[in-house]
Amino acid sequence: MNLFLLLSAIVILACVLCNRLSSKLGVPTLLAFILLGMFFGCDGVVKIPFENYTLAQNICSVALIFIMFYGGFGTNWAQARPVAVKATVLSSLGTLGTAGLVGLFCWKVLGLEMLLGFLLGAVIASTDAASVFSILRSKRLDLKEGTASLLEVESGSNDPFSYMLTVILLSLMSGSISVPAFVYQVFAQLVYGGALGVLIALAARKFLQCFRFSTDGFDAVFLVAVALLSYVLPTLLGGNGYLSVYLTGILLGNSPLRNKQGLVSFFDGVTGLMQMVLFFLLGLLSFPSQLPSIAPTALAVALFLTFVARPVVVFLLMAPFRSSPGQILLVAWSGMRGAASIVFSILVITDPAEVSLDLYHIVFFIVLFSILLQGSLIPVVAKKLKMTDSSANVMKTFTDYTDEIPVQFLRSTLTPGHPWVGKALRELTLPPDSLVVLLLRQGEKLVPNGSTVLAGGDVLILSGQDGGRIPGVHLYEKTLSHGTDWSGRPLAALDTGPRLVILIRRGEEVIIPRGDTVLQSGDVLVINDPEDITPDRLSPA
């Protein structure tokens, strides 16, 4: 057990190191994770024996759940809405068209069995969300014409269609499906998956809005359960779990949730870990010594997919939308294959249907080809096509963009005798670089302007720049125990030296202290010590 934990820690640290190195070298991070897995695998240097495809499928399926959930959760729908129809057409009809063309190529040109050829096409038909998100974020690729949102939505939503095609073709190959059953399976995949994803998201949103957890972080734990539930329930009914997970993520990610910043940080970290585990495990499961034997077939499919099937399908589907040639070419080139395709190939191996082809290593080869060639050159191609836009910001396509903006908010209540009462906002001298963004008056929310006259009892919400880590600001907490010599004394009577009590938590109440504020036993004092020296006690004056 200790050896396993030690090895796990070493692998994760190595993945983190590869993440740093790959970003500096310009190599896609996910490729580094795969190569690291190959290094540790049976054919690698470390030679860890691992051939359990069933275990790998289960682990990878869980990883894909979180990757797809966060893919939806991080989608900024306000940015995606203008390209949503185009992206949906690409993710649905584009996936079907790509699978069809690749299947025909494998059948008619490479001489594979018809169903086997179309199965290979279905497995590699979808573009990879994790790969696309990684490239867009790490390279800060600012693109014209909403192309970043288009790629994000397409890559996040086409895995369910690829999965559906794979499942249906496996059923056809096993001979266990009739025409009515085929029609019902398509219906169940789309309707149950879509409907349950929406219903689970709406129920989870209502719960989070009405219920407040007593412990910080439990909202993130709750959403972990929601993500798992949104996959399992449709799957039990024959629906598409991946479609459900993605829709649940989109609806929750674009809802006004408490602690949104904390949730984004949590799922960003979880998804990063899932990507490490998934790509490392896929590399670990591979046998590089088998790649040369399947290289001719895999290379032929990779070249046809990259330079024929994907461009033809993208052109036919995007031309009616009057998309520019630059956007069509960039979207065609950005169709990266990734983890989902390899996971679906593992699904084929563990399925009872007989497949007379080393599908795993063929797909593995195609994914390596795609990440290395397309992933490395996407920034170059975007610049050559003049599709980069210095006035755009790719981070706006993600709902965690607000976390990139250094803004904080301050709440201030005006007492009836406050000097600002009776004055218009334009007459006030506010702190530099601050703005009144909201006014709460007797339960009503008002958006103020310069002529707004303030009244006693008004609550002002001011925005200002977040200073980040500021030298001289060192905060710590101190709880006043019963019988201390400053309990029952006002702050002005205490000698705090250079230290300043900036906040008092008294039960459920939060108090901004003044000199005449009387301290009580049980108060939790938040203190700033510019010298970062935490005293054992406060001295009375």
Side-chain angles (χ1 to χ4, degrees):
M1 182 63 179
N2 289 335
L3 181 60
F4 172 76
L5 294 177
L6 176 62
L7 183 61
S8 299
I10 292 173
V11 168
I12 293 174
L13 290 173
C15 287
V16 173
L17 180 61
C18 285
N19 185 24
R20 297 288 298 174
L21 291 177
S22 62
S23 60
K24 291 183 178 181
L25 298 175
V27 178
T29 304
L30 305 180
L31 177 62
F33 297 160
I34 289 180
L35 295 178
L36 189 64
M38 296 170 69
F39 175 83
F40 278 86
C42 288
D43 277 0
V45 176
V46 182
K47 298 188 181 302
I48 297 176
F50 185 74
E51 299 180 58
N52 192 331
Y53 286 96
T54 302
L55 176 61
Q57 181 194 347
N58 293 333
I59 296 175
C60 291
S61 295
V62 173
L64 267 185
I65 290 171
F66 288 103
I67 290 172
M68 294 197 67
F69 177 81
Y70 187 57
F73 194 86
T75 298
N76 188 334
W77 186 246
Q79 296 289 323
R81 186 182 291 111
V83 296
V85 175
K86 191 188 302 186
T88 304
V89 169
L90 281 174
S91 66
S92 55
L93 297 181
T95 303
L96 297 175
T98 301
L101 287 179
V102 172
L104 282 173
F105 175 78
C106 293
W107 177 31
K108 294 296 185 180
V109 178
L110 300 183
L112 299 181
E113 297 176 12
M114 182 181 69
L115 288 180
L116 184 57
F118 283 102
L119 178 63
L120 176 56
V123 168
I124 63 171
S126 67
T127 56
D128 187 68
S131 302
V132 173
F133 297 164
S134 175
I135 294 295
L136 293 180
R137 285 174 178 265
S138 63
K139 302 300 181 183
R140 290 296 180 99
L141 205 54
D142 305 326
L143 302 175
K144 297 178 180 178
E145 303 173 27
T147 306
S149 291
L150 175 63
L151 291 173
E152 182 199 13
V153 176
E154 184 215 359
S155 62
S157 60
N158 59 13
D159 287 344
F161 293 96
S162 179
Y163 173 77
M164 179 183 70
L165 287 175
T166 301
V167 171
I168 291 174
L169 282 165
L170 286 173
S171 299
L172 290 173
M173 292 179 70
S174 63
S176 61
I177 187 170
S178 61
V179 174
F182 171 80
V183 174
Y184 175 77
Q185 193 171 37
V186 174
F187 169 84
Q189 284 279 312
L190 297 177
V191 176
Y192 294 164
L196 284 173
V198 172
L199 290 175
I200 291 172
L202 294 178
R205 181 174 68 183
K206 186 67 175 178
F207 180 85
L208 288 173
Q209 290 173 345
C210 298
F211 183 83
R212 186 184 294 272
F213 294 98
S214 58
T215 303
D216 291 341
F218 267 42
D219 49 356
V221 176
F222 173 76
L223 285 187
V224 167
V226 168
L228 295 174
L229 191 66
S230 65
Y231 173 82
V232 172
L233 281 185
T235 303
L236 292 175
L237 297 175
N240 195 315
Y242 294 115
L243 177 61
S244 175
V245 165
Y246 183 69
L247 291 177
T248 300
I250 283 185
L251 290 174
L252 288 176
N254 289 274
S255 299
L257 304 178
R258 299 189 187 99
N259 190 29
K260 188 69 169 292
Q261 181 177 353
L263 292 173
V264 166
S265 299
F266 173 80
F267 279 103
D268 201 26
V270 169
T271 304
L273 178 60
M274 291 297 103
Q275 289 178 4
M276 289 182 191
V277 170
L278 194 154
F279 281 88
F280 173 82
L281 189 60
L282 296 177
L284 186 69
L285 198 61
S286 68
F287 287 82
S289 61
Q290 298 184 21
L291 293 179
S293 62
I294 54 88
T297 299
L299 182 59
V301 175
L303 292 173
F304 179 82
L305 173 64
T306 305
F307 296 103
V308 180
R310 169 76 176 179
V312 168
V313 169
V314 169
F315 175 78
L316 291 176
L317 295 179
M318 292 186 64
F321 290 97
R322 301 184 183 277
S323 301
S324 68
Q327 186 181 54
I328 292 175
L329 290 172
L330 181 58
V331 171
W333 181 257
S334 301
M336 295 171 59
R337 315 295 136 169
S341 296
I342 305 180
V343 173
F344 296 157
S345 72
I346 298 177
L347 175 64
V348 173
I349 294 174
T350 57
D351 191 85
E354 295 185 5
V355 177
S356 57
L357 192 68
D358 188 359
L359 199 68
Y360 179 84
H361 285 95
I362 289 177
V363 174
F364 188 84
F365 184 101
I366 293 171
V367 169
L368 286 179
F369 175 90
S370 178
I371 294 179
L372 184 60
L373 180 65
Q374 292 172 276
S376 300
L377 295 181
I378 284 178
V380 177
V381 172
K383 291 179 182 179
K384 291 291 184 182
L385 294 173
K386 298 181 180 180
M387 284 297 295
T388 56
D389 185 2
S390 58
S391 63
N393 190 337
V394 68
M395 296 307 294
K396 288 184 179 181
T397 67
F398 305 102
T399 56
D400 59 345
Y401 173 69
T402 53
D403 298 328
E404 303 290 326
I405 303 176
V407 173
Q408 285 189 339
F409 296 95
L410 175 67
R411 178 189 180 106
S412 179
T413 302
L414 300 186
T415 58
H418 195 280
W420 287 2
V421 171
K423 293 185 178 181
L425 275 178
R426 68 167 63 95
E427 301 175 31
L428 306 180
T429 302
L430 297 174
D433 300 322
S434 64
L435 177 70
V436 179
V437 296
L438 188 66
L439 190 151
L440 308 179
R441 177 176 293 169
Q442 298 179 351
E444 186 179 0
K445 297 178 180 179
L446 305 175
V447 178
N449 54 43
S451 60
T452 301
V453 178
L454 303 181
D458 283 353
V459 178
L460 306 182
I461 308 298
L462 291 85
S463 68
Q465 184 174 355
D466 181 4
R469 176 70 175 173
I470 301 176
V473 178
H474 304 287
L475 302 182
Y476 65 93
E477 291 185 352
K478 184 177 183 66
T479 302
L480 300 187
S481 57
H482 181 71
T484 54
D485 54 2
W486 57 85
S487 179
R489 298 171 63 90
L491 275 174
L494 300 175
D495 179 17
T496 61
R499 295 172 291 275
L500 177 68
V501 178
I502 65 171
L503 184 141
I504 301 172
R505 288 207 299 265
R506 182 173 294 164
E508 297 294 328
E509 187 181 6
V510 175
I511 301 172
I512 303 298
R514 299 184 305 179
D516 58 357
T517 301
V518 178
L519 302 181
Q520 299 179 8
S521 298
D523 283 354
V524 178
L525 311 182
V526 179
I527 302 170
N528 176 44
D529 184 352
E531 300 174 357
D532 200 19
I533 300 174
T534 305
D536 294 329
R537 63 184 184 88
L538 296 177
S539 302

